[in-house]
Amino acid sequence: VTDTSIAPNDNITRAQMATIIARAFGATEKSDKTFKDVSSDAWYAESVAKAVAMGAFEGDDDNNFNPENNITFQETYTVLSRMFGFEPYTSSKGAVSGVDSSVLDSFSDKDQIAGWATAYAEDIVGNGGWTGIDGKLRPTDAITRGEFAMVMDKIVAYRPNECVKFFGTQL
């Protein structure tokens, strides 16, 4: 957040997550899609355009990006699933995870995951080695910068080949 502070206990907004993702994955291409609530001169406008072009983010049904909203764990699972290529496939029944749905059975709050996010959470847990926090996925909670670092660390440690694919080197 500054040259000397990373603020691990602060929540991450959608704009901040778009910026982190665009930088981490080295995005260069920008989407032409515009959002009603993203001014072209906003500090995050370029990062949002890059993150959307990468397929990490979509807007809502009202064509808003909601840049100042805190991003939730389930939104984070969705973004990371897309970025690491774990994105669920679509069937006539909607999004379907590429892993066994029982991977969420050990989490006491699995029923709190929104329908649109369930397959993404399954893919992050099943492919990324994410074990949650205190036995919970915390899907509707805002994620902090430190918690996001933990999720990324688990996925990167569990899937080093994807790091080579996306980052050009094994981390």
Side-chain angles (χ1 to χ4, degrees):
V1 295
T2 70
D3 288 343
T4 60
S5 176
I6 60 170
N9 297 318
D10 288 358
N11 292 333
I12 300 177
T13 66
R14 289 174 54 84
Q16 292 168 339
M17 179 71 74
T19 302
I20 291 167
I21 292 297
R23 289 178 183 169
F25 285 85
T28 56
E29 183 180 331
K30 298 177 194 171
S31 171
D32 292 333
K33 182 174 174 73
T34 59
F35 297 98
K36 292 189 300 189
D37 59 350
V38 176
S39 171
S40 62
D41 63 349
W43 68 265
Y44 48 78
E46 185 173 329
S47 293
V48 167
K50 289 177 180 179
V52 170
M54 295 170 63
F57 283 89
E58 299 173 359
D60 65 18
D61 291 337
D62 295 323
N63 196 37
N64 289 305
F65 186 79
N66 303 303
E68 298 302 326
N69 288 3
N70 290 330
I71 194 163
T72 64
F73 274 88
Q74 66 189 358
E75 290 172 318
T76 301
Y77 300 148
T78 301
V79 168
L80 293 178
S81 181
R82 291 172 177 166
M83 297 318 323
F84 280 97
F86 304 148
E87 187 165 2
Y89 62 90
T90 303
S91 76
S92 60
K93 296 180 182 181
V96 179
S97 173
V99 299
D100 185 341
S101 63
S102 67
V103 298
L104 300 183
D105 287 349
S106 64
F107 297 97
S108 61
D109 59 349
K110 73 175 187 170
D111 293 334
Q112 295 175 18
I113 302 170
W116 58 265
T118 300
Y120 295 108
E122 290 169 355
D123 283 340
I124 288 297
V125 171
N127 285 300
W130 178 236
T131 56
I133 298 173
D134 297 327
K136 295 184 178 185
L137 292 168
R138 299 175 46 205
T140 59
D141 290 353
I143 192 169
T144 67
R145 297 171 69 86
E147 291 164 338
F148 175 68
M150 288 187 333
V151 174
M152 281 292 289
D153 181 63
K154 290 279 190 179
I155 294 170
V156 169
Y158 193 74
R159 301 296 295 239
N161 291 336
E162 279 76 6
C163 294
V164 173
K165 177 181 171 187
F166 291 108
F167 299 111
T169 185
Q170 190 164 346
L171 301 178

